[in-house]
Amino acid sequence: ASPSTDRETEPPCCDECASASRAVAKCLECQLHYCQIHSQAHPLSKSSDGHRVIELDNASTASCGPVVMPAQKYPLHPSHTLTSYCMQCEHILCKLCAEKGGHQQHQSSVHSLSEASTQKRSEVESLLVSTASDETALNQALEKVSTVVKSVHTDTERVSEEVVEFYNHIREAVNAREKQVLEE
């Protein structure tokens, strides 16, 4: 994807989305614009670890309008463009492969690129929501562990003090008994 140009009349689109989602953030290192989903995923990538992603002012989730992508040719059938996606095999297909190739048995799994993109986007959004809820649960669990660790430290200190006090009492008793024996 190429960086989007900043236009005064129209906010930028996400540089990663095929569906031209409105950009809500920008990476300060890459200078690329991202939609909500890609802005959350970008700093998590190994290649962009540590990148700073900032929110854009007046960002909207409305669509930016159609993006015309050049038709991609299929290497096995160069006269055919890629038009379909087999969800079962997770392959992009040309019309010939979808209808007569090894994907005939997968007809219920073969969708247009647009439909497959929408479905995959929905899956990614669900994963992001699930991850956010998992993150909340993990943070709550970490707080509980932290509380337990503090409690263990407090109890350890208390028990140590009790042992020292008990030992001091025993020492005093032994010293008193020793003194008594020596005086007899």
Side-chain angles (χ1 to χ4, degrees):
S2 63
S4 50
T5 57
D6 289 28
R7 291 170 266 169
E8 289 180 27
T9 58
E10 196 174 309
C13 294
C14 177
D15 290 314
E16 294 293 326
C17 283
S19 64
S21 296
R22 177 85 61 216
V24 298
K26 180 178 182 178
C27 175
L28 295 177
E29 283 71 26
C30 300
Q31 296 298 310
L32 295 176
H33 292 94
Y34 297 106
C35 65
Q36 186 66 40
I37 292 171
H38 286 113
S39 70
Q40 292 172 354
H42 180 68
L44 302 176
S45 168
K46 283 184 181 180
S47 63
S48 56
D49 184 37
H51 283 201
R52 295 170 296 156
V53 177
I54 60 166
E55 290 185 24
L56 299 174
D57 294 333
N58 301 322
S60 166
T61 56
S63 176
C64 291
V67 170
V68 178
M69 305 267 304
Q72 299 288 317
K73 299 293 181 180
Y74 189 55
L76 294 176
H77 307 116
S79 62
H80 291 86
T81 58
L82 298 171
T83 58
S84 303
Y85 184 80
C86 180
M87 301 297 267
Q88 184 173 341
C89 299
E90 297 186 339
H91 286 103
I92 299 175
L93 311 169
C94 69
K95 185 175 182 177
L96 184 63
C97 286
E99 292 175 356
K100 299 179 181 174
H103 301 274
Q104 290 171 309
Q105 309 87 327
H106 310 157
Q107 283 306 307
S108 63
S109 296
V110 175
H111 301 282
S112 73
L113 287 177
S114 176
E115 290 170 352
S117 173
T118 300
Q119 184 173 347
K120 289 292 184 182
R121 178 182 306 276
S122 176
E123 290 173 13
V124 168
E125 287 171 351
S126 294
L127 284 172
L128 282 172
V129 168
S130 171
T131 301
S133 118
D134 290 348
E135 180 183 17
T136 301
L138 276 172
N139 286 334
Q140 290 171 348
L142 282 172
E143 286 178 24
K144 288 180 182 177
V145 166
S146 178
T147 302
V148 168
V149 166
K150 286 177 185 174
S151 175
V152 166
H153 283 295
T154 302
D155 289 348
T156 301
E157 288 175 14
R158 182 183 49 76
V159 168
S160 292
E161 290 171 1
E162 289 175 3
V163 167
V164 167
E165 186 179 326
F166 181 72
Y167 177 74
N168 287 337
H169 286 299
I170 291 175
R171 186 181 312 166
E172 288 173 7
V174 168
N175 287 341
R177 181 68 177 140
E178 180 185 23
K179 186 177 180 182
Q180 184 183 26
V181 167
L182 289 176
E183 289 176 356
E184 291 178 3

